[in-house]
Amino acid sequence: MLRFVETIINSKPTAVPNTHGAKKLLMLSNLLMLLGLILLLYVGGIYANAEYGRYAARGDTDVPAPEAVAPQVSAPMISLRSIPFLPQEAAPVEPAPFTPPVADASVAPGAATGRVTSLLPDAAPVTHKNSITRIIIPRIDVDSKVVAVGWEVQELNGQQVALWQVAEYAVGHHVGSANPGEPDNIVLAGHVGGYGKVFRDLVKLEPGDRMLIYSAGQIYQYIVSEKVIVNEEGVSAEQQAENARYIAPSDTEQVTLVTCWPATGPNRFTQRVIVRAIPVAEDSTRG
């Protein structure tokens, strides 16, 4: 046994062949290790950013809410108050031709990515300021900050359409739609998938469920009155225009919550879940 140990101690290490091929192999292995480390840091950074985004979007935190997916359209702004949610033949000729809503103007016709699209409205300044900061929906465990979201103007088949942005983690409040207490439509949208998934359970809401909306120092209570699931892809232009009426201005106070559906599967994002809610009597208290 002692001789075996002495043999190991006294033996010389086997030298690595000092050849050009061996050096290249060593350099390649080091490069792969470096690339692996960079990839690990990159993926870790993505997940860390997502975790922070979810945390910042929570309604019970004091950190600033995450920004929207894309910057809002700069001047000249487009007023959604003048969106003519009409079939093509009824749309005005001036100042520009209009197209009915489509699933998403940023991709080929027939595809859908989950963003809400509407007819392109007339150009006009938006002076109405969004005031909603938070929404709580106990039935589906939603407690989220609310941020204002605008739209992007893109061209499809030679015509321009307005694509509404969706906040990545928080709930998005359509710029120009109403604030609580106003006799009009309050349009709020959120992702069903992605990192935020703030409206992943919106489909579970039923008439009678309640929600709280924080706006301008007050808390407003609403009760769900209607839930519908509409087909957005593979339907007629008239049907798409009819779907778009859910986010159009109204003459009574109501909340319209919108998300895509289903979240997975071959029909992913081909439908919309739309939930309507109306004010509860004596609905505001000091916050």
Side-chain angles (χ1 to χ4, degrees):
M1 182 67 180
L2 291 175
R3 289 182 180 180
F4 177 72
V5 174
E6 289 176 358
T7 302
I8 295 177
I9 294 175
N10 295 328
S11 63
K12 295 182 179 180
T14 303
V16 177
N18 188 19
T19 63
H20 183 67
K23 289 181 179 179
K24 290 179 64 176
L25 184 61
L26 181 61
M27 290 178 60
L28 180 60
S29 63
N30 290 337
L31 179 60
L32 291 175
M33 290 178 61
L34 179 61
L35 290 176
L37 179 60
I38 293 174
L39 181 61
L40 181 62
L41 292 174
Y42 175 74
V43 174
I46 291 177
Y47 277 97
N49 183 69
E51 286 297 327
Y52 177 79
R54 282 192 287 265
Y55 172 77
R58 283 170 39 185
D60 59 352
T61 63
D62 295 328
V63 298
E67 295 182 358
V69 171
Q72 295 181 16
V73 175
S74 58
M77 294 296 291
I78 299 172
S79 173
L80 68 81
R81 311 306 297 170
S82 61
I83 291 180
F85 291 95
L86 303 172
Q88 177 68 30
E89 61 270 17
V93 176
E94 296 295 335
F98 292 89
T99 180
V102 295
D104 194 329
S106 65
V107 295
T113 64
R115 288 192 287 176
V116 178
T117 309
S118 63
L119 303 176
L120 181 64
D122 298 327
V126 173
T127 57
H128 183 273
K129 185 175 181 180
N130 296 46
S131 63
I132 300 177
T133 57
R134 182 180 181 184
I135 181 172
I136 297 177
I137 312 176
R139 173 74 168 79
I140 55 175
D141 295 325
V142 167
D143 184 355
S144 173
K145 291 185 175 69
V146 178
V147 298
V149 292
W151 55 87
E152 304 165 18
V153 178
Q154 296 192 16
E155 187 172 305
L156 176 65
N157 298 330
Q159 295 180 320
Q160 290 184 318
V161 292
L163 280 73
W164 283 103
Q165 299 165 351
V166 183
E168 185 66 41
Y169 299 98
V171 172
H173 182 192
H174 282 197
V175 167
S177 70
N179 292 313
E182 299 174 355
D184 207 338
N185 196 8
I186 304 164
V187 182
L188 304 174
H191 279 301
V192 70
Y195 290 118
K197 302 180 182 179
V198 64
F199 276 171
R200 65 184 181 275
D201 293 326
L202 191 68
V203 71
K204 296 180 180 179
L205 286 181
E206 298 292 345
D209 291 333
R210 298 203 177 200
M211 65 187 71
L212 302 175
I213 294 181
Y214 291 62
S215 175
Q218 295 186 351
I219 303 175
Y220 296 80
Q221 298 185 44
Y222 296 88
I223 186 169
V224 174
S225 59
E226 177 187 13
K227 180 187 71 178
V228 296
I229 299 177
V230 299
N231 294 319
E232 189 69 20
E233 182 181 339
V235 298
S236 66
E238 290 75 17
Q239 182 59 55
Q240 289 177 324
E242 185 64 27
N243 294 346
R245 291 182 184 275
Y246 282 100
I247 65 171
S250 63
D251 55 5
T252 58
E253 182 179 355
Q254 59 187 355
V255 178
T256 301
L257 307 179
V258 184
T259 194
C260 297
W261 188 257
T264 60
N267 297 322
R268 184 171 180 254
F269 297 162
T270 59
Q271 298 176 311
R272 299 283 185 269
V273 175
I274 301 173
V275 173
R276 280 271 174 84
I278 57 176
V280 175
E282 301 296 327
D283 61 344
S284 62
T285 58
R286 288 292 174 181

